[in-house]
Amino acid sequence: MANIPPATVARLPLYLRSLASLPSDRPTCSSEELAQIAGVQSAQVRKDLSLVGLRGVRGVGYDIDGLRLQLTRLLGLDHEVRVVIVGAGNLGRALADFAGFREWGFTIVGLVDNDPAKIGTTVAGVPVNALSDLDRVVGDGEVSIGIIATPPGAAQDVAQRLADTGIRSILNFAPTVLRVDGIEVRRVDLSSELQILAHHLHGPGAL
Amino acid sequence: MANIPPATVARLPLYLRSLASLPSDRPTCSSEELAQIAGVQSAQVRKDLSLVGLRGVRGVGYDIDGLRLQLTRLLGLDHEVRVVIVGAGNLGRALADFAGFREWGFTIVGLVDNDPAKIGTTVAGVPVNALSDLDRVVGDGEVSIGIIATPPGAAQDVAQRLADTGIRSILNFAPTVLRVDGIEVRRVDLSSELQILAHHLHGPGAL
DNA sequence: TAGATTGTTAATCGATTAACAATC
DNA sequence: TAGATTGTTAATCGATTAACAATC
């Protein structure tokens, strides 16, 4: 496999989810149907599926079950994926209890924080560990993804610690540009999202 | 103004934030310095700033205060921006208390939910209103941005209601493709982010 | 066969990067 | 002047879309 364009990879979860909205009485669907549900062009769907090696049948469409199976496999969701969340503030705790993660087979093995008042408690069944125990939590749990939900000042240090434990990927909610080698980092910048929306309030179409 | 490329708009919050990391003893900074902090190429910085009409001085750099002022204005953060959050679950409540929003001048005027047990309470000083009061909350508050933090099944209905109140933009945390006209929608898809990271666990560089 | 729909090519569009003349 | 750094052009790269021959 390999060398799937990033833009295509980013749409695979959308396609996988869109399959759930398909009428269940038919074995196949067309790229046009999938496109409607996903909110993209049908040519985009065909191109993306083709790029990841998924083929349909001309005149018929794509096999829904096959698509589901292969997309799940491509996204690595056919194995359990274990996740640790660093930062047990409001956001970290909300993420620990986020139904959407479990739904796709992600397991939150633990929260990590440096506040003694939080350590030892549990949030939605997830234990809160000391930051000094990060190594143990990640090592014991075969954790491959770390989520950073700390204040901005702590994020870089936490990222390096996560990297040192041998974690493979980081999802960063702190508004901090992380510098870590050999690790894939994705950033979710909540304030930026609002700011981008705010920009458009004054653009064309403003009151 | 107008017609700034979306990719450029999306980086303006990053530049604005990066200014805060600059040494405060100098009045100017170079595109190279800013690029380092923001984690992008210096040519990108120059191009972006040029595209939004911000100019530096050759051989000298950009005026830091001027940059901060103009970026703030461009992003519409020189006025208070009022926001309503629909959905007072874990995520909605975490967002209501999210420091990063207030920091940039966003005001959360209210949470909205349909759970009688939650209505009338407050979260981080933000009152929880009945969904049936959405109109009043948005209307009274001159709210321009709505955040959707509901379960997926409720998101489309909420989006339409928000549109009907005359809101201008929506930030959608529900894993739902929204169909609303004349409104800017941005999506933050937490499960997708993890799934994209999960995909790369098996790509090149996998153990 | 006729109708439907894929898979792929080529065209277009947009974003990034390199390079360098302009100029402080 | 010499050194630094912008602002912009052109080159490159990547993503999207249109179009249609292939084919079920």
Side-chain angles (χ1 to χ4, degrees):
Chain A
M1 92 184 70
N3 273 23
I4 306 170
T8 293
V9 173
R11 276 186 298 267
L12 298 182
L14 177 62
Y15 296 147
L16 179 54
R17 171 176 299 134
S18 298
L19 291 176
S21 306
L22 243 25
S24 52
D25 56 348
R26 277 174 302 115
T28 64
C29 68
S30 67
S31 58
E32 184 57 39
E33 284 176 286
L34 211 43
Q36 290 281 337
I37 296 168
V40 302
Q41 300 289 328
S42 64
Q44 180 99 267
V45 171
R46 290 197 299 278
K47 180 123 252 241
D48 284 336
L49 294 181
S50 168
L51 280 167
V52 300
L54 298 177
R55 2 233 73 222
V57 177
R58 288 165 138 104
V60 177
Y62 298 86
D63 178 68
I64 296 177
D65 287 339
L67 230 45
R68 196 173 352 241
L69 199 71
Q70 294 303 314
L71 286 174
T72 301
R73 201 182 48 76
L74 272 163
L75 288 170
L77 305 178
D78 50 348
H79 308 68
E80 186 194 30
V81 178
R82 294 164 81 82
V83 178
V84 66
I85 300 176
V86 184
N90 285 312
L91 184 58
R93 296 203 309 275
L95 293 173
D97 193 32
F98 186 61
F101 291 162
R102 289 195 175 75
E103 185 188 334
W104 296 106
F106 295 102
T107 304
I108 314 291
V109 301
L111 281 151
V112 171
D113 205 292
N114 61 5
D115 178 354
K118 289 174 180 160
I119 297 164
T121 64
T122 70
V123 175
V126 177
V128 181
N129 304 274
L131 184 53
S132 53
D133 278 349
L134 181 61
D135 237 67
R136 186 184 53 71
V137 175
V138 174
D140 291 3
E142 306 226 308
V143 174
S144 42
I145 301 182
I147 297 181
I148 297 182
T150 67
Q156 173 60 43
D157 176 58
V158 165
Q160 189 55 57
R161 280 164 178 262
L162 282 169
D164 292 343
T165 66
I167 234 163
R168 304 278 311 284
S169 308
I170 290 177
L171 184 57
N172 178 29
F173 284 88
T176 305
V177 176
L178 298 181
R179 264 163 257 273
V180 272
D181 289 336
I183 282 203
E184 181 173 26
V185 176
R186 289 185 69 87
R187 190 152 67 111
V188 175
D189 191 331
L190 303 175
S191 300
S192 285
E193 296 294 333
L194 274 197
Q195 290 177 54
I196 294 165
L197 288 175
H199 162 77
H200 290 283
L201 296 178
H202 298 282
L207 303 184
Chain B
M1 94 183 70
N3 274 25
I4 305 171
T8 294
V9 172
R11 275 187 299 267
L12 298 181
L14 177 61
Y15 297 147
L16 180 54
R17 171 176 299 134
S18 297
L19 291 176
S21 305
L22 244 23
S24 53
D25 56 349
R26 278 174 301 113
T28 64
C29 67
S30 67
S31 59
E32 184 55 40
E33 283 177 286
L34 211 44
Q36 289 282 336
I37 296 169
V40 301
Q41 300 288 328
S42 64
Q44 179 99 266
V45 171
R46 292 197 297 280
K47 179 123 254 245
D48 284 336
L49 295 180
S50 168
L51 280 166
V52 301
L54 298 177
R55 2 234 72 220
V57 178
R58 287 165 139 104
V60 177
Y62 297 86
D63 178 68
I64 296 177
D65 287 340
L67 229 47
R68 193 170 358 238
L69 199 72
Q70 294 302 314
L71 285 174
T72 301
R73 200 182 50 74
L74 272 162
L75 288 169
L77 306 177
D78 51 347
H79 307 67
E80 186 194 29
V81 177
R82 294 164 81 82
V83 178
V84 67
I85 300 175
V86 184
N90 285 312
L91 185 57
R93 296 203 310 274
L95 293 172
D97 193 33
F98 186 60
F101 291 163
R102 290 194 175 77
E103 184 187 334
W104 296 106
F106 295 102
T107 304
I108 314 291
V109 302
L111 280 151
V112 171
D113 205 291
N114 61 4
D115 178 353
K118 286 175 181 160
I119 296 164
T121 64
T122 70
V123 175
V126 177
V128 181
N129 304 274
L131 184 53
S132 54
D133 278 349
L134 181 62
D135 237 68
R136 186 185 54 70
V137 175
V138 174
D140 291 3
E142 305 226 310
V143 174
S144 42
I145 301 180
I147 297 180
I148 297 181
T150 67
Q156 174 61 42
D157 176 59
V158 164
Q160 190 55 56
R161 280 163 178 263
L162 282 169
D164 292 342
T165 66
I167 234 164
R168 305 278 311 284
S169 308
I170 289 177
L171 184 58
N172 179 29
F173 284 88
T176 306
V177 177
L178 298 181
R179 266 163 255 273
V180 273
D181 289 336
I183 282 204
E184 182 173 24
V185 176
R186 288 185 70 85
R187 190 151 68 110
V188 175
D189 191 331
L190 303 175
S191 300
S192 285
E193 296 295 332
L194 273 198
Q195 290 178 51
I196 295 165
L197 287 175
H199 162 77
H200 290 284
L201 295 178
H202 299 282
L207 301 184

